[in-house]
Amino acid sequence: RAKDTGGGSHYRFEPNLHAFAEERRKLEVSLRNALGRDEFILHYQPVVDARTESIVSFEALVRWNSSEHGFVSPGKFIPLAEDTRLIVPIGKWVLRQACFEARKWPEHVKVNVNVSPEQLLEPNFHQEVIDALSASGLRPERLEIEVTESIFLRDASIARNALEQAMALGCSVALDDFGTGYSSLGYLRKLRFSTIKVDRTFVEGASQGSNESFAIINAVVAMAKSLDMTTTAEGVETSEEAELIRNLGCDKIQGYYFGRPMPADDAKRLFDDNWTRMKRA
Ligand code: C2E
Ligand code: MG
Ligand code: MG
Ligand code: MG
């Protein structure tokens, strides 16, 4: 009640901070139990070839349905999992699950798996990739690991080595959310990324007429081409945006227009079906 707060800001601030910490602690306790309780599932979002619009990959996106908190968005629990290092066991589960589910798709379709810096700093990461691939029978060429620029912030050489080991197996690496982090073009020399994912903010900007966003996408596409990397535009929501992105020369498109993240069964069913029917008009 606004009337009660007239007496000075410190009065309200402390209890709120306490409530926030308490809420976070509860969430952490639940997160610790979530794997054992089988509360995670993966959803898959199609990535399509910009010209043919056929599916080239699915990005695995983790979902948490908590018995105590209901559905918790990854935007909320992934940072918590990273802070508490719970992302290490959770990420291991995601990797295995994604490989097993991708194994049921057509041979030419890849799976993209998000990997946090904490996972790459684990000495075990390389072995976990090998185990997930061999247990599932997925060819390494079908696994693309997505990392953000944050992997270059600390212990960069350890993270880079881990990714190079995965690349030596035949996996590829995509640079996610490009342009939103501590972008330094120097990073692009340090690792042979196969794909640069242009963040949704630029797609949104360009479609709203921002010349700056337009110019940035143009430049990233040109740079990627000369570095022998491909580009994926993230967050394409309308046919107009898809057309714009196609004209800018992006190789691949991901976004609600071509499909929202969906349960594994629905993803698999797309291949039996003529998938273009799901496109929103
Ligand atoms: P991300 O890797 O950049 O994933 C793309 C996010 O954009 C997803 O949000 C997806 O649902 C959303 N998105 C896709 N198309 C559109 C669109 O057209 N419009 C809009 N407005 N949004 C779109 P989601 O699933 O909430 O995931 C958020 C972030 O959580 C991911 O961003 C990723 O950084 C992280 N994350 C998700 N799953 C995992 C995981 O298994 N491991 C790790 N380490 N991080 C994960
Ligand atoms: Mg991603
Ligand atoms: Mg992304
Ligand atoms: Mg993004």
Side-chain angles (χ1 to χ4, degrees):
R1 284 171 299 162
K3 249 186 178 169
D4 295 343
T5 66
S9 59
H10 75 278
Y11 178 74
R12 248 165 51 100
F13 184 68
E14 264 193 34
N16 275 355
L17 192 66
H18 178 74
F20 178 80
E22 182 60 16
E23 157 79 20
R24 198 182 136 98
R25 199 191 56 79
K26 282 187 184 151
L27 206 60
E28 183 184 332
V29 170
S30 303
L31 194 58
R32 246 173 236 291
N33 293 320
L35 264 183
R37 292 180 182 167
D38 226 7
E39 290 178 346
F40 293 114
I41 59 161
L42 295 183
H43 278 192
Y44 294 92
Q45 184 177 34
V47 179
V48 307
D49 181 297
R51 270 167 306 168
T52 66
E53 299 193 352
S54 60
I55 297 174
V56 292
S57 182
F58 275 102
E59 179 173 2
L61 295 158
V62 69
R63 298 290 178 258
W64 180 25
N65 197 354
S66 163
S67 46
E68 288 113 348
H69 308 273
F71 176 83
V72 187
S73 85
K76 190 167 183 181
F77 77 82
I78 292 288
L80 179 62
E82 289 176 336
D83 288 351
T84 55
R85 301 190 48 78
L86 286 167
I87 193 66
V88 173
I90 295 170
K92 180 183 175 182
W93 178 85
V94 168
L95 181 65
R96 277 183 81 91
Q97 183 74 0
C99 288
F100 271 94
E101 286 175 333
R103 181 72 173 82
K104 302 173 197 154
W105 310 337
E107 265 295 302
H108 67 278
V109 179
K110 294 190 180 194
V111 63
N112 283 45
V113 176
N114 294 285
V115 170
S116 294
E118 288 72 17
Q119 293 176 262
L120 295 176
L121 299 180
E122 280 289 296
N124 263 350
F125 181 74
H126 180 230
Q127 193 56 46
E128 284 170 8
V129 175
I130 293 175
D131 291 347
L133 291 170
S134 63
S136 63
L138 191 79
R139 281 188 305 114
E141 290 73 18
R142 293 180 61 194
L143 174 62
E144 183 159 84
I145 294 169
E146 294 196 6
V147 296
T148 63
E149 292 151 321
S150 62
I151 62 153
F152 294 109
L153 287 184
R154 71 188 167 103
D155 303 311
S157 65
I158 299 177
R160 211 169 68 206
N161 281 342
L163 291 172
E164 274 163 357
Q165 284 181 312
M167 288 160 75
L169 299 172
C171 303
S172 52
V173 180
L175 187 52
D176 204 357
D177 301 337
F178 186 74
T180 58
Y182 306 81
S183 309
S184 152
L185 297 182
Y187 297 152
L188 296 173
R189 282 189 311 159
K190 294 188 175 160
L191 207 77
R192 290 181 38 100
F193 294 103
S194 61
T195 304
I196 298 176
K197 298 189 79 169
V198 180
D199 193 72
R200 167 175 149 69
T201 49
F202 301 109
V203 174
E204 219 182 355
S207 81
Q208 287 166 2
S210 153
N211 288 327
E212 291 79 10
S213 292
F214 195 90
I216 288 169
I217 299 175
N218 223 351
V220 172
V221 168
M223 183 178 66
K225 282 216 169 84
S226 56
L227 289 168
D228 206 23
M229 298 173 183
T230 62
T231 43
T232 300
E234 298 186 301
V236 170
E237 296 184 345
T238 64
S239 64
E240 290 76 21
E241 286 179 354
E243 185 58 23
L244 176 73
I245 285 303
R246 218 188 321 270
N247 291 335
L248 278 164
C250 280
D251 302 291
K252 289 167 280 180
I253 304 181
Q254 182 176 356
Y256 293 168
Y257 177 62
F258 288 104
R260 293 189 176 243
M262 63 190 91
D265 283 350
D266 294 354
K268 192 175 175 301
R269 211 171 298 127
L270 289 183
F271 297 114
D272 314 327
D273 229 18
N274 175 8
W275 85 276
T276 48
R277 258 189 277 156
M278 64 171 286
K279 256 203 288 183
R280 293 151 95 221

